Amino acid sequence: MKKLTTLIIAALLGSGIVWADEEATQSTQDTKKSQNVQESTDTFQPYVKKNKKSQNVSGVYVGVDLGLTGSTTTMRPSPFYELKKDGLALGGFGDVKVGYKHYFTEKFAVRGYVSLGAGLRYTAIQIIGWRIAETYNHTTTALGLGIGADAVYNLSSNVGVFAGFGVDRHSWTHSVSSTGSSTGSETEGSTVIPKLQLGLIFSGFEIAAVYHTATVQPANSYLDYGNDIALKVGYTYTFFTL
């Protein structure tokens, strides 16, 4: 009887040890599975910007730009006159734009936009030729509609750099008048002008260099204009964030 009791107690103790070991093994496996699921979730989570008040968020934005432009001028060949003094055409422009900016990571974004603006270019040259010794004023005014895209990279939470490409369609009017007469000539036309830009962003404020790869060349001008190089400042505000 004692032997039987001893065997029953030993069997119960053995089964308890096995059950406890199986429970510990199952608990360890469940913990590892939970950790693997958490790591997998963390690895494939999309980037979400925490600070919605920052300019560095995905969303719709509006902006305004103001700039100064300059280009060289060269005289068109003619046997009847010559350019007494080389000229430099100066001008200015302003535009408003609206677009969408999307952050793919915490630091990198791409933005696209459409813009509407106006500009002015002016130069004065002195012409000497047969019965001519006068100063001629050349003025070009234009309205522009454009599209463009920029790549943006944040160096910090408030400072970034951007580079981009755009195309503007300019509807322009060019007038020529002389200081020696009250009459002048005027022509109109439209020109598509691509542009490249590179700049810095400071909490929404921007400063950039812009290079236009073509320029308006009016038929009634004595001059050929070089491609415009501009310095612009601007500001963008993201008002609908994602």
Side-chain angles (χ1 to χ4, degrees):
M1 186 65 179
K2 288 182 180 180
K3 291 183 178 180
L4 179 60
T5 303
T6 302
L7 288 173
I8 292 172
I9 293 172
L12 292 174
L13 289 174
S15 62
I17 292 171
V18 171
W19 177 82
D21 186 54
E22 289 179 351
E23 285 291 320
T25 302
Q26 184 65 35
S27 177
T28 301
Q29 291 176 350
D30 291 342
T31 301
K32 289 183 178 179
K33 287 181 180 180
S34 177
Q35 290 176 348
N36 290 337
V37 170
Q38 182 64 36
E39 289 176 359
S40 177
T41 302
D42 293 341
T43 301
F44 293 101
Q45 278 291 332
Y47 170 71
V48 177
K49 193 72 175 180
K50 295 180 180 179
N51 184 7
K52 292 286 188 176
K53 295 182 179 180
S54 172
Q55 280 287 315
N56 302 331
V57 293
S58 298
V60 178
Y61 71 93
V62 293
V64 60
D65 292 326
L66 296 173
L68 296 175
T69 67
S71 64
T72 59
T73 57
T74 56
M75 198 68 179
R76 291 177 180 172
S78 173
F80 305 108
Y81 53 76
E82 64 178 351
L83 181 65
K84 184 176 180 181
K85 185 178 180 180
D86 291 336
L88 177 66
L90 299 176
F93 67 89
D95 59 53
V96 294
K97 59 188 177 183
V98 60
Y100 175 75
K101 176 173 54 176
H102 183 77
Y103 272 85
F104 293 93
T105 68
E106 185 177 3
K107 293 183 176 294
F108 177 73
V110 172
R111 64 183 184 183
Y113 61 87
V114 294
S115 63
L116 178 65
L120 170 72
R121 182 180 65 187
Y122 172 81
T123 187
I125 61 169
Q126 189 172 18
I127 302 250
I128 295 177
W130 181 67
R131 302 181 63 181
I132 296 177
E134 298 183 30
T135 299
Y136 284 79
N137 302 309
H138 294 249
T139 305
T140 306
T141 58
L143 294 175
L145 179 64
I147 58 173
D150 300 319
V152 181
Y153 184 80
N154 294 333
L155 302 175
S156 68
S157 59
N158 296 318
V159 180
V161 295
F162 68 94
F165 174 79
V167 177
D168 295 334
R169 182 177 181 84
H170 291 262
S171 297
W172 51 266
T173 300
H174 184 77
S175 61
V176 180
S177 62
S178 110
T179 56
S181 66
S182 58
T183 60
S185 64
E186 187 174 282
T187 57
E188 297 179 350
S190 62
T191 304
V192 174
I193 300 179
K195 64 181 180 183
L196 303 170
Q197 63 176 354
L198 177 66
L200 297 172
I201 303 174
F202 307 91
S203 299
F205 291 95
E206 299 180 357
I207 180 170
V210 184
Y211 177 70
H212 296 87
T213 62
T215 192
V216 174
Q217 302 286 4
N220 64 334
S221 174
Y222 294 109
L223 304 172
D224 285 321
Y225 295 88
N227 294 343
D228 288 330
I229 299 175
L231 178 65
K232 78 166 190 177
V233 294
Y235 180 76
T236 61
Y237 176 73
T238 304
F239 65 92
F240 179 73
T241 60
L242 300 177

